[in-house]
Amino acid sequence: MSEAGGRPRRGVDHKGRASLPRKAAPRLAAGRARALGLPTRGTTNANRLRRVDRWLRATQVPRLRDAARPLVVDLGYGSSAVTTLELADRLGPEVHGLEVVGLEIDPERVTAVAADRDPPRVDFRVGGFELAGLRPVLVRAFNVLRQYDEESAAQAWQTMCAALGPGGLLVEGTCDEWGRRSAWVALDADGPLTLTLSARVSDLDEPSDLAERLPKALIHHNVPGQPVHVFLRALDTAWATAAGLSTFGPRQRWTAAVETLAGQGWPFVGSSRRWRHGEVTVRWSAVAPV
C-alpha cells in the first residue's frame, strides 16, 4: 500500500467500507442478564468524552433525525452517569425525541444511577455487547475494549454491529483520563468505515503520541510496514515541516499538517473545518492492517 492511499474526497459521508474480520474468536463471557462482556474499571470523569460527542453532533445528527426512533446507546458508562447525561445534553437540542440508554454489565452500577433516570429521554439498563436487545441508531462504546485481546475485540465489534438498527452506526474508541487524547472507529453493519484522531494539540510533542489511544484493532499494528504506522509517520513529518507556524498556535500547525497529507492524497472524510479542532478522520481502508 502506498503512503497516500488515494485522492482525498472532502465533504463526503462515511463510505468506502472494509469488511469485519471473520476469524473465529473466543466466546465472550455472559453476565447474569445474558449481557455479553466483562465489567470495566468504571473510571470516568465529567467532560471526558467531549471530543467524540462534538464529532457525533457535527456528523451524526442527520442520521438520528432521519430515524423513526432516534435511539442512542452509551455502552459501558462506568461508575457514574455523568458521560451518559452529557451525551443526552449535547445531542438532545439537535434531535427531537432523542432517547439515550446507558448500558452497564454490572447491575450494581445500574442501581447506583437510578436517580438519574428520566425515561424516555435518559434511561439505564443492564446490558453488554448484545445491546440489551435494543436496536439503536447510534452506539457510543468508549474505553470498553482495552481489556480484550484483538480477536475478542473483533468479535465484540461483530456482535454490536449485528444489533444495530437499520442504518445504524457504532463508534468505538478510547481516550485518556481527561479526554485530551482520543481515537475512535466508526462502523456500520458491514464493517469499519473510518478512523478519527482527536487531541488537545497543545499537549502533543508530535501527532504519533496518539498511538497510545489507537483502538484494539490497530494498536498492535503500529509497526513498520503497516498502514497505520505509515499514516502516523507521515503526520509526524508534516507536523515537523509546519513547525514555523507554531508562532500562530498549535491548531494552525495541526491544520497545516493535515492539509499537507490531504495534498499527498490521504483519503480524509468530512469537512476540513473539523481540523481546527485538533481532529482528522481518514478512511479505514487507508489504515487497516495488512
Side-chain angles (χ1 to χ4, degrees), residues 206-267:
E206 53 187 1
S208 61
D209 291 347
L210 286 164
E212 66 185 14
R213 292 297 145 192
L214 288 173
K216 184 63 72 169
L218 291 176
I219 195 166
H220 300 301
H221 296 277
N222 183 30
V223 294
Q226 286 288 341
V228 69
H229 185 269
V230 174
F231 175 63
L232 290 174
R233 296 288 82 73
L235 194 52
D236 279 352
T237 298
W239 174 260
T241 301
L245 293 175
S246 296
T247 186
F248 300 107
R251 289 188 180 185
Q252 285 74 12
R253 184 181 180 184
W254 173 271
T255 298
V258 177
E259 286 177 343
T260 295
L261 265 62
Q264 294 172 0
W266 285 93

